[in-house]
Amino acid sequence: MVGKALSLLVMLGDAPGATTAADLSRRADLPFSTAYRLLQSLQRAGFVDFEPEGKKYSLGLRVFQLGLYVANSLGFAGTATPVLSRLTEKTQEASILAVPDEDRFLTVAKVDGPRAFRVTSDPGYRGYLHCSAVGKALLAFAPEEERERLVEGIELVPVAPKAITDRAEFRAELDRVRSQGYSLMDEENEIGMRAVAVPILAESRPGEPARAIAAIACSAPTVRMSVDELVDQLPALREAAEELAARLPRH
């Protein structure tokens, strides 16, 4: 039952907004009575909020609290935010730190730029690997066995018209990222947005290639930065990545 309850929490986190018990039971392949009972228990514990008017559920503040505990214990909040702030001062655009999370990436820290037009990838956001700059960087520099499993297994969702949906093209894109050392997102995840990202690398074992423990990105609206202008931010991104590589925990 614990596993089923946790799966409901994950589904609530993946949902774009509040959702009903019937929808959750269908997505989790659980009897409605079981899903409803688990949601009631999670609500009493503060992990789930309930909206009586629409009879919909969403994540509760208790989840947010635990997320902050994890971020602080792993050093993300205290270590990453000052580095991202300095990066944003240089680029004048949003800086994002993400880590691998099974077949997605998880945003763990973000600093918005000073100008209008906020980036929507807030801490706690789980995004697709194939259509994001951080996702491509994480996957391109993942251990070979894991990379092959994900390249062959993940669904290439057409999130936006420019998203890669062909597996051979996706593999070629990752080869390009590994060769050049950085990744780009040009309206593949969100129309009107671009991003450039670099991996934060750590040695796996002596003699083995370095693996990405995280990725750091600069994201900007297409009206403010061309692809070439984003690539011009690479020295600042790499400097931030080197600093975080020395300070973030290996896990």
Side-chain angles (χ1 to χ4, degrees):
M1 280 299 180
V2 173
K4 293 176 181 177
L6 291 174
S7 71
L8 291 178
L9 285 177
V10 171
M11 288 180 184
L12 281 172
D14 287 339
T19 188
T20 64
D23 182 54
L24 286 169
S25 68
R26 182 170 56 253
R27 289 163 54 199
D29 196 23
L30 291 172
F32 176 82
S33 58
T34 300
Y36 180 78
R37 187 169 63 253
L38 290 172
L39 287 167
Q40 291 295 300
S41 297
L42 290 168
Q43 183 186 351
R44 286 193 295 271
F47 290 99
V48 165
D49 285 338
F50 178 65
E51 301 173 8
E53 185 175 345
K55 296 184 179 180
K56 292 184 176 182
Y57 295 85
S58 58
L59 291 180
L61 285 176
R62 181 66 174 149
V63 176
F64 177 71
Q65 181 186 35
L66 291 179
L68 290 178
Y69 289 158
V70 172
N72 285 319
S73 67
L74 291 179
F76 289 123
T79 300
T81 301
V83 178
L84 295 183
S85 295
R86 289 194 293 273
L87 178 60
T88 289
E89 286 178 10
K90 295 175 182 177
T91 67
Q92 294 295 290
E93 298 293 352
S95 300
I96 299 166
L97 179 70
V99 297
D101 185 13
E102 298 178 346
D103 61 348
R104 300 281 191 96
F105 73 81
L106 176 68
T107 300
V108 293
K110 184 189 79 165
V111 173
D112 280 312
R115 295 182 281 184
F117 207 107
R118 283 184 74 252
V119 175
T120 56
S121 181
D122 290 319
Y125 172 77
R126 294 180 77 240
Y128 293 107
L129 298 173
H130 70 288
C131 58
S132 60
V134 289
K136 293 177 190 177
L138 290 170
L139 189 51
F141 290 90
E144 183 177 2
E145 184 176 332
E146 180 182 354
R147 183 171 67 251
E148 287 300 312
R149 177 180 63 81
L150 289 169
V151 167
E152 290 300 322
I154 62 174
E155 183 181 0
L156 303 180
V157 181
V159 178
K162 289 187 177 181
I164 296 174
T165 56
D166 178 79
R167 216 161 290 277
E169 183 183 349
F170 183 40
R171 186 181 294 278
E173 173 75 356
L174 294 178
D175 289 343
R176 206 160 30 243
V177 172
R178 285 186 64 81
S179 174
Q180 63 193 15
Y182 67 90
S183 59
L184 289 166
M185 184 283 292
D186 189 8
E187 298 189 281
E188 298 159 57
N189 188 58
E190 185 178 352
I191 296 173
M193 294 298 297
R194 292 189 176 110
V196 60
V198 298
I200 297 171
L201 300 173
E203 295 292 335
S204 298
R205 297 185 184 88
E208 290 188 358
R211 63 181 177 90
I213 58 171
I216 188 169
C218 170
S219 182
T222 56
V223 296
R224 281 209 299 258
M225 273 200 182
S226 66
V227 170
D228 288 342
E229 287 170 328
L230 271 177
V231 172
D232 288 341
Q233 312 307 314
L234 281 171
L237 271 168
R238 286 171 171 151
E239 182 181 350
E242 288 177 8
E243 183 176 355
L244 288 171
R247 298 173 63 183
L248 287 178
R250 275 60 169 160
H251 57 279

